[in-house]
Amino acid sequence: HNNGLLGEITEPEEGKTLFQKSHRIGNSKLSVFQKSSSSSMNGILFVIRNPFDATVAEWKREKGGGHTGQGNENIFKDEKWILMAEKSLKRWVVLTKNVLEKYENEKLPLHIILYEDLVRNATHEMERVLDFIEQEDYFFVEDREMRLRCLQKVIIFQLRKFYSFSH
């Protein structure tokens, strides 16, 4: 999928993905994972970011910085910034509330990842995700240590590439 994740436009019921990424609120595609293609949501893997940082990042993305871009500080002088920020923060509250209500009402397993922790130590956070999906008996990764080492190598490579371009 252009500028997104593989499987992002796949319907969860197709059974092609273990996790389904979504920003949608209050529907069956909310951060779901499934045991089989015939099941609906079986649990929630909720990645949540500091609402202020999420709002700033979205504004920078909208103003041409992309997902990793650094927008000029002048973009925050735009009168639309305040309106967008208010709407974004309201959406953040509604999404968080809906996730917690879905967890409570449907007694679904819930695993919360703080985005900032994911950025700080992605390997550790992915290890926690694997623990969660194995504990809930959704999926078992036989070669998890090898995959985690591979993830760590990719992260180190990406960091070196990023710092070589930005410094």
Side-chain angles (χ1 to χ4, degrees):
H1 177 35
N2 291 342
N3 299 319
L5 299 172
L6 292 174
E8 191 169 346
I9 59 173
T10 303
E11 291 298 322
E13 293 77 22
E14 291 180 30
K16 294 181 179 179
T17 58
L18 183 61
F19 298 95
Q20 192 76 36
K21 175 193 170 222
S22 179
H23 297 269
R24 297 182 188 169
I25 300 169
N27 77 23
S28 64
K29 290 176 73 172
L30 181 66
S31 305
V32 301
F33 55 93
Q34 308 158 254
K35 287 185 181 179
S36 70
S37 60
S38 63
S39 63
S40 61
M41 186 185 304
N42 291 316
I44 302 171
L45 178 63
F46 188 44
V47 180
I48 189 168
R49 186 174 188 179
N50 169 306
F52 177 77
D53 291 343
T55 301
V56 168
E58 179 60 17
W59 184 247
K60 286 180 177 181
R61 187 193 66 76
E62 285 182 15
K63 293 299 176 181
H67 281 291
T68 59
Q70 301 295 315
N72 182 316
E73 293 302 314
N74 288 331
I75 65 172
F76 296 102
K77 295 176 183 173
D78 185 327
E79 61 189 45
K80 294 178 184 174
W81 156 242
I82 296 296
L83 295 172
M84 181 277 186
E86 289 173 355
K87 287 180 183 177
S88 178
L89 292 170
K90 286 178 185 174
R91 280 193 311 269
W92 186 94
V93 169
V94 169
L95 174 63
T96 303
K97 182 180 172 209
N98 284 353
V99 167
L100 296 175
E101 284 176 358
K102 198 155 194 68
Y103 161 73
E104 273 295 312
N105 295 339
E106 298 184 27
K107 306 296 183 221
L108 293 170
L110 170 66
H111 181 74
I112 298 174
I113 299 174
L114 301 178
Y115 174 84
E116 293 78 9
D117 290 345
L118 185 60
V119 170
R120 195 171 14 263
N121 191 341
T123 305
H124 175 71
E125 292 305 314
M126 289 310 300
E127 190 170 17
R128 291 182 60 230
V129 168
L130 292 175
D131 290 344
F132 173 69
I133 62 175
E134 289 176 0
Q135 173 188 322
E136 296 299 326
D137 200 26
Y138 291 107
F139 189 74
F140 179 75
V141 178
E142 292 182 22
D143 54 353
R144 71 183 276 159
E145 294 306 318
M146 181 192 72
R147 289 175 181 263
L148 290 169
R149 282 192 307 274
C150 181
L151 173 62
Q152 185 62 41
K153 287 179 185 177
V154 169
I155 291 167
I156 290 169
F157 174 76
Q158 291 296 330
L159 286 173
R160 285 183 184 150
K161 189 166 82 171
F162 173 76
Y163 283 111
S164 70
F165 286 120
S166 63
H167 290 84

